[in-house]
Amino acid sequence: MAEPSGERVAGQSSAGRARGRTWVSALCLVLACVVFTVGLLASWAASVVYDSDTFADRSVALLDEPEVRRELADRLTEQLALAGNQQAVNFRPAFQLAVEAAIDTDTFRSIFRTAVKRTHQAILVSQDGDGSALDLSDSVTIIASNLTLPSSAAQGQGNSAGLNNSLGDITQRMSDLRVWSWEDYAGIVTLVGLVGGPVLAAVAIAVSPNRRRTVRRLGWGVVAGGLVLAILVPVSQGVVGSRISDGPLSSAVSAGLGNVMADLRTMGLWVAAYGFLLAAATRAGNKPLPTPDRAWARFHAWVDRRRETTGGTVLVGAGALLGGIYVVTGPQRTITLLVLVAGLWLSYLGVALLTRLVQAVPAQVGADLAVRRAHRQRRLLVGGAIAVVAVLLLGTAAVLTTRGAARAAEAAGAPECNGEAALCDVPINLAMFPGAHNAMSSALYPGWLFAEQSNTLTGQLDAGVRALLIDTHYGVPSTARLPGSETPVIITDRAAELASPPGESYDPAIAARAQQVAANAPPQAGAQRDIYLCHNFCEMGAASFTGQMESVRRWLETNPEEVVILVVEDHTTPTDTAAALEAAGLADRAWALDPAQPMPTLGDLIDAGRNLLVFAENQGPGSPDWYQSAYQWFQETPYAWKSVDEMNCKPNRGQAANKLMLINHWVTYSPPDPGKAGSQVNSADVLKARIEQCLDERGVFPNVVAVDFAERGALMATVDSYNQGTRSSVGNLRSSVEEDADSTGTTSPGGTTPSTLPEAVATSSAFKAPTVITSLTGGNPAVFCAGTDQLVAVFTGWALADLSKPAAAGGLPALTYGPLVDRILRDLGPVTPVELARQLAPGVAQSAAAVDALRQAGFDQAAIDGLADALSEQLAGPAPDLGVAEQLVVDRIQEQLGRDGTLALAQAFERDHPTPVGLFDLGDVSDDVATGSGWGCLLQA
């Protein structure tokens, strides 16, 4: 019989209302759980995170972790060493132990707590990051008084590398966390969460068609919220730990953070437990409640059943015995457990009684297949929409990222060389590099004593050092450890050393101490000899050679536009040392200088991807071409100074004809003193005076100025001032004669004029102010001016090549440029004014001599003309590459004479025809003279 249409419509309407109430109930239920969980979190934050006293207490609790104290002591010691504390530099392992002991005192904790509290209050007040910095100077003073530290660690340290400044950034880091700006809303969120959550839950139950099921779901929602709160603790530990690269410190901070947030975890677990009780009690329905008498009756029945068997009797008896022991040995623990069980039972009982009042209202109409199908369709629709949005967002992000990368690449512009695009044109022997003597001798390497540098190798490179002077030794790991260090003592393998005693002078007391350590440090079983970076004695500090060279290689890859020089005092065999450098990946980065080729520019090295020059003091036969003999390229000054007044520039190792110059500029203090190095030896006045003295006495531009504690003092600024003068002069040299004449009398940005710059390339007329020409007589302006551009270009290239000519082939630039210069000057001779002809006379003589030398070497006129044509073609473009042009001609000479023949010819020419004074002085014709004499074309020359 068909159902009346009215009843069917009413049923459908009722089903619709039921579905609507179900949706509203579900929405309120979800909101109730979320709001309540957020309210609990806000309540915890208000009492812990935003309360200065509690926050300070929790921060101090981190010091309970030994790894945290150890790491804090390590950072404090490191900062004191960087700030120039002499004890931290020379005796770091023992010093760090003392600092760690000072940290683990009530006094330090009290000061630390006060500092954290004040910082916390300042951040909450300002909320803009401009509050007072975390000032631990009082704590530093406590440590300083306990350890009798010098004033460099005292309160009010003003050095930019000092301890307080390095710790002060904690304030900014804390301020950068957006969570601090939520303090004003914590109370409101707490109120809304703790009140609004239950209200929403009540609404969800009231409107639900099936209230008992809604209460059960509420219980599980509360469980989920509690677990979220508990899970926040390990998540926070994981996030914080992942941002700390040091493994032990990461574990310690994570553990400390877990202790600090323990009450949040406890709160979450208790909330989850009560949610579970709510769900379980609702599930019980109308079953009898587990009252104490019922529980006891069931337990008694269970015991009686066990006692019916021998095994069961043993089980009951053993359980009773263990329970008695537990009660007797821990009465307080037993009482706590009983109270906990009683509280949970009472909670369950109360929830069960209340939920029995909740009547389940059956749905008038069950969900039929069509409803379920519609529900699935809605879910698919929502999922598809989310997927589309995600794809759009990812696509947009990809486009924006690609555009950002393109803009960054476009903004990068022209490549730079050691920080300046203008230095790319500067030959290696006209560039100056800040150098670090015993660069590996750093207090930041574990176990190092008597350090002579503040930072690690990569730290020095980051600070601007571009020449690393290092020592290699053979060493064997031992079983001994220095106090305060977990690093094994390395025993120097003197039997395998190339030279003994070490090359540099050393303190006999340090030698005796090293021998004592070695005697008490037997090698580890099966230990293998390896190469280490050590200063004379590996017992006083050692770092893995290959490991540190890998760090340098990574730095070079990250900074491909920086050229670095590595000078190795190799007490290890050239084969082993070169193999270790190759294993570290530096062979592919190293440039091999060729004594028969022009000196490369910084840009040449960078363009080739070989931005490293390696020199070794004991380079021997069979070494790779990039593993170069230091003193076949360098000449140097002495290095054993006891005071600044003793320093001089007398020749030491290396020949006077070598193109590179090393100034050894450090005083041997025993023990090393970073304070004196920074304020005295490395001061701007002392450095500049020494460089100028060596320029005057040696006549060679210094390429490396090596000092102790390179980051202290004015080394970087002083070297930069000379490089500014060099790049200014080279730039002038590449411009026209008029630009050269106009600019050589001006001051460069660094305050060094090209005339004083060299004094950098002292005797070269390329950097001297040209002779002023006051009249012009004779000649043919129309014809002469037609060849002026080529004349200027070829003399510019010749001058630059002469400045950077190789040490073993000094006559090569004249042989390269001579044929073209000879042709130009012969063509221009009849039409040249008398005054200009006088200036060009040295060029006429030198180029003619070069052509004669080539003829005597077997070149006929056609071959000589071919050399001139090849160079002329290379210089004809709007922006000729002078290095490429010169190299092309050198290659053609080598095709006929071979490499050795070319080298011999260049050496002979340099001996018989050294570069004459005034060769590149083409003269300076003023505008008035040029116009008045009918030579107006020289105004554009």
Side-chain angles (χ1 to χ4, degrees), residues 812-900:
L812 200 60
L815 297 173
T816 303
Y817 284 87
L820 181 57
V821 172
D822 181 68
R823 174 198 294 177
I824 294 173
L825 293 182
R826 279 190 287 106
D827 292 342
L828 292 181
V831 297
T832 303
V834 174
E835 293 79 5
L836 286 180
R838 189 181 304 118
Q839 294 302 124
L840 294 173
V844 172
Q846 192 75 349
S847 60
V851 171
D852 289 341
L854 289 169
R855 285 199 183 97
Q856 293 175 14
F859 285 80
D860 56 21
Q861 189 60 46
I864 293 173
D865 289 341
L867 295 178
D869 292 340
L871 185 61
S872 179
E873 291 176 4
Q874 290 296 316
L875 298 180
D881 189 321
L882 302 181
V884 172
E886 180 185 2
Q887 188 62 58
L888 179 64
V889 179
V890 171
D891 291 343
R892 297 188 66 157
I893 296 175
Q894 288 188 356
E895 288 176 4
Q896 183 160 335
L897 301 181
R899 184 178 184 279
D900 293 340

Side-chain angles (χ1 to χ4, degrees), residues 147-166:
L147 303 178
T148 62
L149 303 184
S151 59
S152 59
Q155 182 175 356
Q157 167 68 271
N159 192 308
S160 61
L163 176 63
N164 293 332
N165 286 341
S166 65

Side-chain angles (χ1 to χ4, degrees), residues 728-742:
S728 174
S729 297
V730 170
N732 292 338
L733 192 58
R734 289 184 180 277
S735 62
S736 68
V737 172
E738 179 182 3
E739 291 171 340
D740 183 44
D742 290 341

